[in-house]
Amino acid sequence: MDRILIRGGRPLNGTITISGAKNSALKLMAASLLSDAPLTLSRVPALADVRFLGQLLARLGVSVEDEGAGRLRLHARDLAEPEAPYELVRKMRASFNVLGPLIAREGRAKVSLPGGCAIGARPVNLHLMALEALGAEIELSEGYVIARAPRGLAGARIVFPMGSVGATEHAMLAAVLAKGETVLEHCAREPEIADLADCLNAMGARVSGAGTDTITIEGVDRLHEAEWTVAPDRVETGTYAIAAAAAGGRVRLDGAEPDHNHALWDVLRRAGAEITAGAGHVEIARSGPIRAVDIQTEPFPGFPTDLQAQFMALMTLADGASVIRETIFENRFMHAPELTRLGARIDVRGNEAIVRGPVRLKGAPVMATDLRASVSLVIAGLAAEGETSVSRIYHLDRGFERLEEKLAAGGADIERRPEESA
């Protein structure tokens, strides 16, 4: 097991290239199950989660060919037994999204209930509700979902009680091969949903309205060969932007999509950063003091929960008190105790955290607890005096491609070392 060492106090300057979005790439990979023709994806990030899903797809009979330079060729010509076992699905929640495509194409599937980060309960009841509305017969047995649709799926009107990203995407994946029209209402509007819809349309699907509250899908008999480039990762974009604001300096983020992070740009400007956005890039600079800003996590286009931990790290340096309210997931302040080891002053009260600053962060050994919490500790380490050691970084490897290399290119003093050498 590795750890990351950071010697802080150095501003970031330079250019960082943004990778493809993990949260898009995983659902696009699952879409390959819908067709017996190849799907070639470009700008696929080299991440542990991508590797895990590739292993599961291979188990299901998909030919998974890494062509290098972020290109992945997926060919589900002849599927194996449509069963996704616990030992593969437990590693991450996105694996569960093979269920809908398998039902749509094979008429049956057995998929383990998912695992993933311990950031609170994230039930899959909305996923199963949507699949049942499309005609699937669902049975839960010994930790598995056993689904059957011997006569195929049929279009339906599905009204989600809340805007669930995963359930919206899962319903889309199943409905593209359903007979007739499917209308999804009260949908999530995240950019990754539009990316999935556009890729499915490139494969021959007929999806409209993605990115709005209502998505309409006209079922087709089959999908054909396609190539698609994964959308840029808005969470990675936001993470490096916050890192630049925390460390100071000037950083250009190439390959970013500025329109995917408007809520973040607003609060970073109020916190004292300069944001300049252009076609395919964003520049972040900060030379003056950081000001305290209150935030509340919300579904897109609001402030994303996946940037909450990173923003908390920035607020430890701010002049004044800031209130951070988490409304998406419970138990997502697990990074707060680790930040206090670096000198942060954070008071957690239910779904609110009050951060009082500014403090002089000082390096210390800290431990990652989940994917986004991990990178908040890295950001704090960049701004801290002395050396910070972040352990259990396998969480980081699930969601950030070449993190140390990208930060080092911007001037950070950061390296990865084996844990046993500590």
Side-chain angles (χ1 to χ4, degrees):
M1 192 178 296
D2 291 344
R3 62 186 175 127
I4 285 181
L5 290 181
I6 308 151
R7 286 165 284 273
R10 300 177 58 168
L12 293 178
N13 289 284
T15 299
I16 294 175
T17 300
I18 299 303
S19 300
K22 181 197 82 160
N23 290 340
S24 269
L26 297 175
K27 309 304 168 56
L28 300 177
M29 291 172 66
S32 69
L33 290 164
L34 292 165
S35 175
D36 61 1
L39 172 63
T40 302
L41 301 175
S42 299
R43 197 161 60 187
V44 178
L47 301 171
D49 277 9
V50 170
R51 185 173 69 253
F52 294 152
L53 185 55
Q55 292 168 356
L56 174 57
L57 292 176
R59 172 76 170 262
L60 294 169
V62 181
S63 169
V64 181
E65 183 180 350
D66 186 349
E67 298 183 343
R71 281 177 60 86
L72 201 62
R73 187 177 188 271
L74 305 158
H75 194 180
R77 179 168 47 199
D78 299 307
L79 292 180
E81 181 66 19
E83 179 174 344
Y86 170 73
E87 63 265 22
L88 292 176
V89 178
R90 70 176 177 83
K91 295 180 180 179
M92 60 164 183
R93 289 183 54 82
S95 299
F96 189 68
N97 284 79
V98 304
L99 177 63
L102 288 174
I103 301 170
R105 183 168 165 195
E106 296 291 285
R108 62 190 179 93
K110 180 180 179 181
V111 177
S112 171
L113 290 168
C117 288
I119 57 170
R122 293 191 284 174
V124 295
N125 58 309
L126 297 184
H127 299 235
L128 301 182
M129 177 205 77
L131 294 174
E132 285 182 318
L134 293 169
E137 301 169 3
I138 303 289
E139 175 189 352
L140 300 181
S141 177
E142 299 179 342
Y144 279 80
V145 176
I146 301 171
R148 301 175 184 87
R151 293 179 296 277
L153 299 176
R157 177 175 176 262
I158 302 170
V159 181
F160 294 110
M162 56 181 290
S164 166
V165 176
T168 300
E169 293 170 328
H170 209 160
M172 288 167 54
L173 285 165
V176 292
L177 294 183
K179 297 179 180 67
E181 181 184 81
T182 297
V183 178
L184 308 178
E185 298 183 16
H186 199 185
C187 296
R189 297 183 289 163
E190 273 68 6
E192 294 79 15
I193 293 172
D195 198 36
L196 174 60
D198 290 342
C199 177
L200 289 170
N201 288 340
M203 298 169 68
R206 299 174 64 187
V207 182
S208 60
T212 72
D213 291 336
T214 303
I215 298 174
T216 302
I217 303 153
E218 295 285 347
V220 298
D221 292 333
R222 67 181 301 272
L223 301 178
H224 53 66
E225 182 175 357
E227 294 196 10
W228 190 254
T229 300
V230 180
D233 196 317
R234 63 192 174 99
V235 176
E236 186 190 43
T237 299
T239 296
Y240 289 127
I242 294 171
R250 179 178 293 273
V251 172
R252 177 185 170 105
L253 303 177
D254 270 351
E257 175 46 71
D259 287 343
H260 291 174
N261 283 97
H262 282 305
L264 175 63
W265 307 145
D266 176 57
V267 296
L268 284 181
R269 287 188 177 103
R270 286 191 280 140
E274 300 173 17
I275 309 294
T276 306
H281 74 273
V282 181
E283 287 192 7
I284 300 93
R286 184 189 64 80
S287 56
I290 300 170
R291 297 187 291 269
V293 180
D294 298 341
I295 64 163
Q296 174 173 300
T297 62
E298 296 176 331
F300 187 85
F303 192 95
T305 181
D306 281 348
L307 291 176
Q308 176 258 108
Q310 298 91 310
F311 194 76
M312 183 182 289
L314 175 65
M315 288 296 96
T316 66
L317 308 169
D319 185 9
S322 57
V323 178
I324 296 176
R325 183 174 295 109
E326 174 60 58
T327 69
I328 307 298
F329 294 123
E330 72 273 23
N331 200 28
R332 208 170 197 181
F333 286 144
M334 292 188 293
H335 47 282
E338 296 300 302
L339 287 171
T340 62
R341 289 178 53 81
L342 300 173
R345 297 169 59 206
I346 304 170
D347 182 15
V348 176
R349 302 174 183 175
N351 71 331
E352 287 187 352
I354 301 173
V355 186
R356 293 180 173 87
V359 298
R360 294 179 60 185
L361 297 178
K362 295 188 177 180
V366 291
M367 182 179 68
T369 54
D370 65 65
L371 171 54
R372 308 309 176 185
S374 308
V375 82
S376 76
L377 302 176
V378 172
I379 291 172
L382 293 172
E385 300 173 2
E387 184 175 272
T388 298
S389 173
V390 183
S391 62
R392 296 180 65 182
I393 61 168
Y394 56 84
H395 290 294
L396 276 172
D397 293 336
R398 289 185 51 226
F400 290 94
E401 182 180 34
R402 298 182 287 108
L403 176 78
E404 316 94 85
E405 179 184 328
K406 291 186 178 186
L407 286 172
D413 188 346
I414 182 171
E415 61 178 319
R416 178 183 294 239
R417 286 188 185 175
E419 189 73 57
E420 57 268 20
S421 68

Short mmCIF file of all heavy atoms in Angstrom, two decimals, residues 32-91:
data_model
loop_
_atom_site.label_atom_id
_atom_site.label_comp_id
_atom_site.label_asym_id
_atom_site.label_seq_id
_atom_site.Cartn_x
_atom_site.Cartn_y
_atom_site.Cartn_z
N SER A 32 -21.71 -0.56 -23.46
CA SER A 32 -21.19 -1.51 -24.46
C SER A 32 -21.96 -2.82 -24.42
O SER A 32 -22.01 -3.55 -25.41
CB SER A 32 -19.70 -1.76 -24.24
OG SER A 32 -19.47 -2.48 -23.04
N LEU A 33 -22.58 -3.16 -23.29
CA LEU A 33 -23.34 -4.40 -23.15
C LEU A 33 -24.59 -4.39 -24.03
O LEU A 33 -25.16 -5.46 -24.31
CB LEU A 33 -23.75 -4.62 -21.70
CG LEU A 33 -22.64 -4.96 -20.71
CD1 LEU A 33 -23.13 -4.77 -19.28
CD2 LEU A 33 -22.15 -6.39 -20.93
N LEU A 34 -25.04 -3.23 -24.45
CA LEU A 34 -26.29 -3.11 -25.19
C LEU A 34 -26.18 -3.52 -26.64
O LEU A 34 -27.20 -3.68 -27.31
CB LEU A 34 -26.80 -1.67 -25.12
CG LEU A 34 -27.26 -1.17 -23.75
CD1 LEU A 34 -27.37 0.34 -23.74
CD2 LEU A 34 -28.58 -1.81 -23.37
N SER A 35 -24.96 -3.69 -27.16
CA SER A 35 -24.78 -3.92 -28.59
C SER A 35 -23.81 -5.05 -28.85
O SER A 35 -22.86 -5.26 -28.08
CB SER A 35 -24.27 -2.64 -29.25
OG SER A 35 -23.98 -2.84 -30.62
N ASP A 36 -24.02 -5.78 -29.94
CA ASP A 36 -23.06 -6.79 -30.35
C ASP A 36 -21.97 -6.21 -31.26
O ASP A 36 -21.12 -6.93 -31.78
CB ASP A 36 -23.76 -7.96 -31.05
CG ASP A 36 -24.51 -7.54 -32.32
OD1 ASP A 36 -24.48 -6.33 -32.67
OD2 ASP A 36 -25.14 -8.41 -32.95
N ALA A 37 -22.00 -4.88 -31.43
CA ALA A 37 -20.99 -4.17 -32.22
C ALA A 37 -20.03 -3.44 -31.29
O ALA A 37 -20.38 -3.14 -30.14
CB ALA A 37 -21.65 -3.19 -33.18
N PRO A 38 -18.82 -3.12 -31.74
CA PRO A 38 -17.84 -2.48 -30.86
C PRO A 38 -18.21 -1.05 -30.48
O PRO A 38 -18.83 -0.32 -31.26
CB PRO A 38 -16.55 -2.50 -31.70
CG PRO A 38 -16.79 -3.47 -32.80
CD PRO A 38 -18.26 -3.44 -33.07
N LEU A 39 -17.80 -0.67 -29.29
CA LEU A 39 -17.86 0.72 -28.82
C LEU A 39 -16.45 1.12 -28.43
O LEU A 39 -15.85 0.49 -27.56
CB LEU A 39 -18.80 0.86 -27.63
CG LEU A 39 -18.81 2.23 -26.92
CD1 LEU A 39 -19.30 3.32 -27.85
CD2 LEU A 39 -19.66 2.19 -25.65
N THR A 40 -15.92 2.14 -29.07
CA THR A 40 -14.57 2.62 -28.77
C THR A 40 -14.66 3.96 -28.07
O THR A 40 -15.25 4.91 -28.60
CB THR A 40 -13.72 2.76 -30.06
OG1 THR A 40 -13.67 1.49 -30.72
CG2 THR A 40 -12.31 3.20 -29.72
N LEU A 41 -14.09 4.02 -26.88
CA LEU A 41 -14.12 5.23 -26.07
C LEU A 41 -12.73 5.86 -26.02
O LEU A 41 -11.74 5.15 -25.85
CB LEU A 41 -14.58 4.91 -24.65
CG LEU A 41 -15.97 4.28 -24.50
CD1 LEU A 41 -16.23 3.90 -23.05
CD2 LEU A 41 -17.05 5.22 -25.01
N SER A 42 -12.68 7.17 -26.17
CA SER A 42 -11.43 7.92 -26.04
C SER A 42 -11.48 8.77 -24.78
O SER A 42 -12.55 9.04 -24.25
CB SER A 42 -11.20 8.82 -27.26
OG SER A 42 -11.11 8.05 -28.44
N ARG A 43 -10.30 9.19 -24.31
CA ARG A 43 -10.14 9.98 -23.09
C ARG A 43 -10.71 9.24 -21.88
O ARG A 43 -11.32 9.83 -21.00
CB ARG A 43 -10.77 11.37 -23.23
CG ARG A 43 -10.26 12.36 -22.15
CD ARG A 43 -10.47 13.80 -22.51
NE ARG A 43 -11.88 14.12 -22.70
CZ ARG A 43 -12.35 15.27 -23.15
NH1 ARG A 43 -11.52 16.24 -23.44
NH2 ARG A 43 -13.64 15.46 -23.30
N VAL A 44 -10.48 7.94 -21.84
CA VAL A 44 -10.87 7.15 -20.68
C VAL A 44 -9.78 7.27 -19.63
O VAL A 44 -8.61 6.98 -19.91
CB VAL A 44 -11.08 5.67 -21.05
CG1 VAL A 44 -11.43 4.86 -19.82
CG2 VAL A 44 -12.15 5.53 -22.13
N PRO A 45 -10.09 7.70 -18.41
CA PRO A 45 -9.04 7.87 -17.40
C PRO A 45 -8.52 6.53 -16.91
O PRO A 45 -9.27 5.55 -16.78
CB PRO A 45 -9.77 8.63 -16.28
CG PRO A 45 -11.21 8.25 -16.44
CD PRO A 45 -11.43 8.08 -17.91
N ALA A 46 -7.22 6.48 -16.64
CA ALA A 46 -6.59 5.27 -16.12
C ALA A 46 -6.77 5.24 -14.61
O ALA A 46 -5.95 5.76 -13.85
CB ALA A 46 -5.11 5.25 -16.49
N LEU A 47 -7.87 4.64 -14.16
CA LEU A 47 -8.25 4.63 -12.75
C LEU A 47 -8.57 3.23 -12.29
O LEU A 47 -8.93 2.36 -13.09
CB LEU A 47 -9.48 5.52 -12.53
CG LEU A 47 -9.35 7.00 -12.92
CD1 LEU A 47 -10.71 7.67 -12.85
CD2 LEU A 47 -8.35 7.69 -12.01
N ALA A 48 -8.49 3.03 -10.99
CA ALA A 48 -8.82 1.72 -10.44
C ALA A 48 -10.27 1.35 -10.74
O ALA A 48 -10.57 0.20 -11.07
CB ALA A 48 -8.57 1.73 -8.93
N ASP A 49 -11.20 2.30 -10.66
CA ASP A 49 -12.61 1.99 -10.92
C ASP A 49 -12.83 1.55 -12.36
O ASP A 49 -13.64 0.66 -12.64
CB ASP A 49 -13.49 3.21 -10.61
CG ASP A 49 -13.82 3.32 -9.13
OD1 ASP A 49 -13.23 2.56 -8.33
OD2 ASP A 49 -14.66 4.17 -8.77
N VAL A 50 -12.12 2.17 -13.29
CA VAL A 50 -12.21 1.76 -14.70
C VAL A 50 -11.68 0.34 -14.86
O VAL A 50 -12.26 -0.49 -15.58
CB VAL A 50 -11.44 2.75 -15.60
CG1 VAL A 50 -11.30 2.21 -17.02
CG2 VAL A 50 -12.15 4.11 -15.61
N ARG A 51 -10.59 0.04 -14.18
CA ARG A 51 -10.04 -1.31 -14.24
C ARG A 51 -10.99 -2.34 -13.65
O ARG A 51 -11.20 -3.42 -14.21
CB ARG A 51 -8.69 -1.35 -13.51
CG ARG A 51 -7.97 -2.68 -13.61
CD ARG A 51 -6.58 -2.61 -13.02
NE ARG A 51 -6.59 -2.44 -11.57
CZ ARG A 51 -6.28 -1.33 -10.93
NH1 ARG A 51 -5.94 -0.24 -11.63
NH2 ARG A 51 -6.30 -1.26 -9.61
N PHE A 52 -11.61 -2.00 -12.51
CA PHE A 52 -12.56 -2.92 -11.88
C PHE A 52 -13.74 -3.22 -12.81
O PHE A 52 -14.14 -4.38 -12.97
CB PHE A 52 -13.11 -2.32 -10.57
CG PHE A 52 -12.09 -2.16 -9.49
CD1 PHE A 52 -12.24 -1.16 -8.52
CD2 PHE A 52 -10.99 -2.99 -9.41
CE1 PHE A 52 -11.31 -1.01 -7.51
CE2 PHE A 52 -10.05 -2.83 -8.39
CZ PHE A 52 -10.21 -1.85 -7.45
N LEU A 53 -14.30 -2.17 -13.44
CA LEU A 53 -15.44 -2.39 -14.33
C LEU A 53 -15.01 -3.17 -15.56
O LEU A 53 -15.77 -4.02 -16.06
CB LEU A 53 -16.09 -1.07 -14.72
CG LEU A 53 -17.36 -1.20 -15.56
CD1 LEU A 53 -18.40 -2.09 -14.86
CD2 LEU A 53 -17.97 0.17 -15.86
N GLY A 54 -13.81 -2.92 -16.06
CA GLY A 54 -13.30 -3.69 -17.18
C GLY A 54 -13.23 -5.18 -16.85
O GLY A 54 -13.55 -6.04 -17.69
N GLN A 55 -12.83 -5.50 -15.62
CA GLN A 55 -12.77 -6.89 -15.20
C GLN A 55 -14.16 -7.52 -15.16
O GLN A 55 -14.35 -8.67 -15.57
CB GLN A 55 -12.11 -6.98 -13.82
CG GLN A 55 -10.63 -6.62 -13.81
CD GLN A 55 -10.07 -6.45 -12.41
OE1 GLN A 55 -10.79 -6.53 -11.42
NE2 GLN A 55 -8.77 -6.16 -12.32
N LEU A 56 -15.14 -6.75 -14.67
CA LEU A 56 -16.50 -7.26 -14.62
C LEU A 56 -17.06 -7.47 -16.03
O LEU A 56 -17.69 -8.50 -16.32
CB LEU A 56 -17.40 -6.30 -13.84
CG LEU A 56 -18.89 -6.63 -13.81
CD1 LEU A 56 -19.14 -8.02 -13.27
CD2 LEU A 56 -19.66 -5.58 -13.02
N LEU A 57 -16.83 -6.51 -16.93
CA LEU A 57 -17.32 -6.64 -18.30
C LEU A 57 -16.68 -7.85 -18.98
O LEU A 57 -17.35 -8.59 -19.72
CB LEU A 57 -17.03 -5.36 -19.09
CG LEU A 57 -17.83 -4.12 -18.67
CD1 LEU A 57 -17.39 -2.90 -19.46
CD2 LEU A 57 -19.34 -4.35 -18.83
N ALA A 58 -15.40 -8.06 -18.73
CA ALA A 58 -14.74 -9.24 -19.30
C ALA A 58 -15.37 -10.52 -18.78
O ALA A 58 -15.55 -11.49 -19.53
CB ALA A 58 -13.25 -9.20 -18.99
N ARG A 59 -15.73 -10.53 -17.50
CA ARG A 59 -16.40 -11.69 -16.91
C ARG A 59 -17.75 -11.95 -17.60
O ARG A 59 -18.20 -13.10 -17.73
CB ARG A 59 -16.59 -11.44 -15.41
CG ARG A 59 -17.44 -12.46 -14.67
CD ARG A 59 -16.69 -13.76 -14.41
NE ARG A 59 -17.43 -14.61 -13.49
CZ ARG A 59 -17.20 -14.69 -12.18
NH1 ARG A 59 -16.22 -13.96 -11.62
NH2 ARG A 59 -17.91 -15.49 -11.42
N LEU A 60 -18.39 -10.88 -18.06
CA LEU A 60 -19.68 -10.99 -18.73
C LEU A 60 -19.55 -11.31 -20.22
O LEU A 60 -20.57 -11.39 -20.92
CB LEU A 60 -20.48 -9.70 -18.54
CG LEU A 60 -20.92 -9.40 -17.09
CD1 LEU A 60 -21.46 -7.98 -16.98
CD2 LEU A 60 -21.95 -10.41 -16.63
N GLY A 61 -18.32 -11.44 -20.70
CA GLY A 61 -18.11 -11.82 -22.09
C GLY A 61 -17.71 -10.70 -23.02
O GLY A 61 -17.60 -10.91 -24.24
N VAL A 62 -17.46 -9.50 -22.48
CA VAL A 62 -17.06 -8.37 -23.31
C VAL A 62 -15.56 -8.43 -23.57
O VAL A 62 -14.77 -8.65 -22.65
CB VAL A 62 -17.42 -7.04 -22.62
CG1 VAL A 62 -17.03 -5.85 -23.50
CG2 VAL A 62 -18.90 -6.99 -22.29
N SER A 63 -15.18 -8.23 -24.81
CA SER A 63 -13.76 -8.08 -25.14
C SER A 63 -13.35 -6.65 -24.79
O SER A 63 -13.89 -5.69 -25.35
CB SER A 63 -13.53 -8.35 -26.64
OG SER A 63 -12.22 -7.96 -27.01
N VAL A 64 -12.42 -6.52 -23.85
CA VAL A 64 -11.97 -5.21 -23.39
C VAL A 64 -10.53 -5.02 -23.83
O VAL A 64 -9.63 -5.68 -23.33
CB VAL A 64 -12.09 -5.10 -21.85
CG1 VAL A 64 -11.64 -3.71 -21.38
CG2 VAL A 64 -13.51 -5.38 -21.39
N GLU A 65 -10.32 -4.14 -24.78
CA GLU A 65 -8.99 -3.94 -25.36
C GLU A 65 -8.51 -2.52 -25.10
O GLU A 65 -9.11 -1.55 -25.57
CB GLU A 65 -9.03 -4.20 -26.87
CG GLU A 65 -7.68 -4.10 -27.55
CD GLU A 65 -7.75 -4.38 -29.04
OE1 GLU A 65 -8.81 -4.83 -29.51
OE2 GLU A 65 -6.74 -4.13 -29.72
N ASP A 66 -7.43 -2.41 -24.34
CA ASP A 66 -6.82 -1.11 -24.07
C ASP A 66 -5.88 -0.78 -25.21
O ASP A 66 -4.83 -1.41 -25.38
CB ASP A 66 -6.06 -1.17 -22.74
CG ASP A 66 -5.51 0.19 -22.31
OD1 ASP A 66 -5.53 1.13 -23.13
OD2 ASP A 66 -5.07 0.31 -21.16
N GLU A 67 -6.25 0.21 -26.02
CA GLU A 67 -5.45 0.59 -27.18
C GLU A 67 -4.40 1.63 -26.85
O GLU A 67 -3.66 2.08 -27.74
CB GLU A 67 -6.37 1.10 -28.30
CG GLU A 67 -7.34 0.03 -28.79
CD GLU A 67 -8.21 0.51 -29.95
OE1 GLU A 67 -8.30 1.74 -30.16
OE2 GLU A 67 -8.79 -0.34 -30.63
N GLY A 68 -4.32 2.04 -25.59
CA GLY A 68 -3.34 3.03 -25.18
C GLY A 68 -3.83 4.44 -25.40
O GLY A 68 -4.79 4.69 -26.14
N ALA A 69 -3.18 5.39 -24.72
CA ALA A 69 -3.49 6.81 -24.85
C ALA A 69 -4.96 7.10 -24.52
O ALA A 69 -5.59 7.97 -25.13
CB ALA A 69 -3.15 7.33 -26.25
N GLY A 70 -5.51 6.35 -23.56
CA GLY A 70 -6.87 6.61 -23.14
C GLY A 70 -7.95 6.05 -24.03
O GLY A 70 -9.13 6.37 -23.85
N ARG A 71 -7.60 5.17 -24.99
CA ARG A 71 -8.60 4.56 -25.88
C ARG A 71 -8.91 3.14 -25.41
O ARG A 71 -8.01 2.35 -25.15
CB ARG A 71 -8.11 4.53 -27.33
CG ARG A 71 -8.23 5.86 -28.04
CD ARG A 71 -7.66 5.79 -29.45
NE ARG A 71 -8.34 4.80 -30.28
CZ ARG A 71 -9.46 5.04 -30.99
NH1 ARG A 71 -10.02 6.23 -30.94
NH2 ARG A 71 -9.99 4.10 -31.74
N LEU A 72 -10.20 2.86 -25.32
CA LEU A 72 -10.67 1.56 -24.85
C LEU A 72 -11.69 1.04 -25.85
O LEU A 72 -12.69 1.71 -26.15
CB LEU A 72 -11.30 1.72 -23.47
CG LEU A 72 -11.43 0.51 -22.56
CD1 LEU A 72 -10.04 -0.05 -22.23
CD2 LEU A 72 -12.15 0.89 -21.28
N ARG A 73 -11.42 -0.16 -26.38
CA ARG A 73 -12.35 -0.78 -27.34
C ARG A 73 -13.09 -1.91 -26.63
O ARG A 73 -12.49 -2.85 -26.12
CB ARG A 73 -11.59 -1.32 -28.55
CG ARG A 73 -12.50 -1.83 -29.67
CD ARG A 73 -11.66 -2.27 -30.87
NE ARG A 73 -12.46 -2.58 -32.03
CZ ARG A 73 -12.97 -3.80 -32.28
NH1 ARG A 73 -12.75 -4.80 -31.43
NH2 ARG A 73 -13.69 -4.02 -33.38
N LEU A 74 -14.42 -1.79 -26.61
CA LEU A 74 -15.28 -2.75 -25.92
C LEU A 74 -16.17 -3.43 -26.94
O LEU A 74 -16.87 -2.76 -27.70
CB LEU A 74 -16.13 -2.02 -24.89
CG LEU A 74 -15.36 -1.17 -23.87
CD1 LEU A 74 -16.25 -0.11 -23.27
CD2 LEU A 74 -14.78 -2.04 -22.78
N HIS A 75 -16.14 -4.76 -26.95
CA HIS A 75 -16.93 -5.48 -27.95
C HIS A 75 -17.68 -6.61 -27.26
O HIS A 75 -17.09 -7.62 -26.86
CB HIS A 75 -16.03 -6.04 -29.05
CG HIS A 75 -16.80 -6.50 -30.26
ND1 HIS A 75 -16.19 -7.04 -31.38
CD2 HIS A 75 -18.14 -6.50 -30.54
CE1 HIS A 75 -17.11 -7.34 -32.28
NE2 HIS A 75 -18.30 -7.03 -31.79
N ALA A 76 -18.99 -6.44 -27.12
CA ALA A 76 -19.84 -7.43 -26.44
C ALA A 76 -20.57 -8.28 -27.48
O ALA A 76 -21.79 -8.39 -27.47
CB ALA A 76 -20.83 -6.72 -25.52
N ARG A 77 -19.81 -8.90 -28.36
CA ARG A 77 -20.43 -9.67 -29.45
C ARG A 77 -21.22 -10.86 -28.92
O ARG A 77 -22.36 -11.08 -29.27
CB ARG A 77 -19.35 -10.14 -30.43
CG ARG A 77 -19.90 -10.97 -31.59
CD ARG A 77 -18.86 -11.16 -32.66
NE ARG A 77 -17.57 -11.55 -32.10
CZ ARG A 77 -16.41 -11.43 -32.73
NH1 ARG A 77 -16.37 -10.91 -33.94
NH2 ARG A 77 -15.28 -11.82 -32.16
N ASP A 78 -20.58 -11.66 -28.08
CA ASP A 78 -21.23 -12.84 -27.52
C ASP A 78 -21.10 -12.78 -26.00
O ASP A 78 -20.01 -12.96 -25.45
CB ASP A 78 -20.57 -14.12 -28.04
CG ASP A 78 -20.67 -14.24 -29.56
OD1 ASP A 78 -21.79 -14.15 -30.08
OD2 ASP A 78 -19.61 -14.41 -30.21
N LEU A 79 -22.21 -12.55 -25.32
CA LEU A 79 -22.17 -12.41 -23.87
C LEU A 79 -22.15 -13.77 -23.19
O LEU A 79 -22.69 -14.76 -23.69
CB LEU A 79 -23.38 -11.61 -23.38
CG LEU A 79 -23.40 -10.13 -23.77
CD1 LEU A 79 -24.65 -9.45 -23.22
CD2 LEU A 79 -22.15 -9.42 -23.26
N ALA A 80 -21.51 -13.81 -22.04
CA ALA A 80 -21.49 -15.01 -21.21
C ALA A 80 -22.72 -15.01 -20.32
O ALA A 80 -23.65 -14.21 -20.50
CB ALA A 80 -20.20 -15.03 -20.38
N GLU A 81 -22.74 -15.88 -19.32
CA GLU A 81 -23.84 -15.92 -18.37
C GLU A 81 -24.00 -14.54 -17.73
O GLU A 81 -23.03 -13.97 -17.21
CB GLU A 81 -23.56 -16.97 -17.29
CG GLU A 81 -24.64 -17.12 -16.25
CD GLU A 81 -25.94 -17.67 -16.80
OE1 GLU A 81 -25.94 -18.27 -17.90
OE2 GLU A 81 -26.97 -17.50 -16.13
N PRO A 82 -25.23 -13.96 -17.77
CA PRO A 82 -25.40 -12.58 -17.28
C PRO A 82 -25.47 -12.50 -15.76
O PRO A 82 -26.49 -12.17 -15.17
CB PRO A 82 -26.73 -12.17 -17.93
CG PRO A 82 -27.49 -13.45 -18.06
CD PRO A 82 -26.46 -14.50 -18.37
N GLU A 83 -24.35 -12.78 -15.13
CA GLU A 83 -24.26 -12.75 -13.67
C GLU A 83 -23.06 -11.92 -13.25
O GLU A 83 -21.93 -12.14 -13.71
CB GLU A 83 -24.14 -14.16 -13.10
CG GLU A 83 -24.03 -14.17 -11.58
CD GLU A 83 -24.05 -15.56 -10.98
OE1 GLU A 83 -24.45 -16.50 -11.69
OE2 GLU A 83 -23.67 -15.70 -9.79
N ALA A 84 -23.29 -10.95 -12.39
CA ALA A 84 -22.23 -10.08 -11.86
C ALA A 84 -22.04 -10.41 -10.39
O ALA A 84 -22.88 -10.05 -9.56
CB ALA A 84 -22.60 -8.61 -12.04
N PRO A 85 -20.95 -11.09 -10.04
CA PRO A 85 -20.80 -11.60 -8.67
C PRO A 85 -20.39 -10.52 -7.68
O PRO A 85 -19.85 -9.48 -8.02
CB PRO A 85 -19.70 -12.65 -8.82
CG PRO A 85 -18.89 -12.17 -9.98
CD PRO A 85 -19.87 -11.53 -10.93
N TYR A 86 -20.62 -10.83 -6.42
CA TYR A 86 -20.34 -9.91 -5.32
C TYR A 86 -18.89 -9.47 -5.30
O TYR A 86 -18.60 -8.29 -5.09
CB TYR A 86 -20.71 -10.57 -3.99
CG TYR A 86 -20.25 -9.80 -2.77
CD1 TYR A 86 -20.87 -8.62 -2.39
CD2 TYR A 86 -19.17 -10.25 -2.01
CE1 TYR A 86 -20.45 -7.90 -1.28
CE2 TYR A 86 -18.74 -9.55 -0.90
CZ TYR A 86 -19.37 -8.38 -0.53
OH TYR A 86 -18.94 -7.68 0.55
N GLU A 87 -17.95 -10.38 -5.54
CA GLU A 87 -16.54 -10.03 -5.39
C GLU A 87 -16.10 -8.96 -6.39
O GLU A 87 -15.10 -8.28 -6.17
CB GLU A 87 -15.65 -11.27 -5.53
CG GLU A 87 -15.70 -11.97 -6.88
CD GLU A 87 -16.70 -13.12 -6.88
OE1 GLU A 87 -17.62 -13.12 -6.04
OE2 GLU A 87 -16.56 -14.01 -7.74
N LEU A 88 -16.84 -8.78 -7.47
CA LEU A 88 -16.52 -7.72 -8.42
C LEU A 88 -17.39 -6.48 -8.21
O LEU A 88 -16.91 -5.35 -8.24
CB LEU A 88 -16.69 -8.23 -9.86
CG LEU A 88 -15.66 -9.29 -10.31
CD1 LEU A 88 -15.99 -9.78 -11.71
CD2 LEU A 88 -14.25 -8.73 -10.26
N VAL A 89 -18.68 -6.67 -7.97
CA VAL A 89 -19.58 -5.51 -7.82
C VAL A 89 -19.33 -4.76 -6.52
O VAL A 89 -19.52 -3.55 -6.44
CB VAL A 89 -21.05 -5.97 -7.91
CG1 VAL A 89 -22.01 -4.80 -7.72
CG2 VAL A 89 -21.31 -6.63 -9.26
N ARG A 90 -18.87 -5.46 -5.48
CA ARG A 90 -18.69 -4.82 -4.17
C ARG A 90 -17.65 -3.70 -4.19
O ARG A 90 -17.64 -2.84 -3.32
CB ARG A 90 -18.27 -5.86 -3.13
CG ARG A 90 -16.85 -6.39 -3.33
CD ARG A 90 -16.45 -7.34 -2.22
NE ARG A 90 -15.12 -7.89 -2.44
CZ ARG A 90 -13.99 -7.26 -2.11
NH1 ARG A 90 -14.04 -6.08 -1.51
NH2 ARG A 90 -12.82 -7.81 -2.35
N LYS A 91 -16.77 -3.70 -5.19
CA LYS A 91 -15.67 -2.74 -5.20
C LYS A 91 -16.12 -1.33 -5.52
O LYS A 91 -15.44 -0.37 -5.17
CB LYS A 91 -14.60 -3.19 -6.20
CG LYS A 91 -13.92 -4.51 -5.82
CD LYS A 91 -12.89 -4.91 -6.85
CE LYS A 91 -12.21 -6.22 -6.47
NZ LYS A 91 -11.22 -6.65 -7.46
#
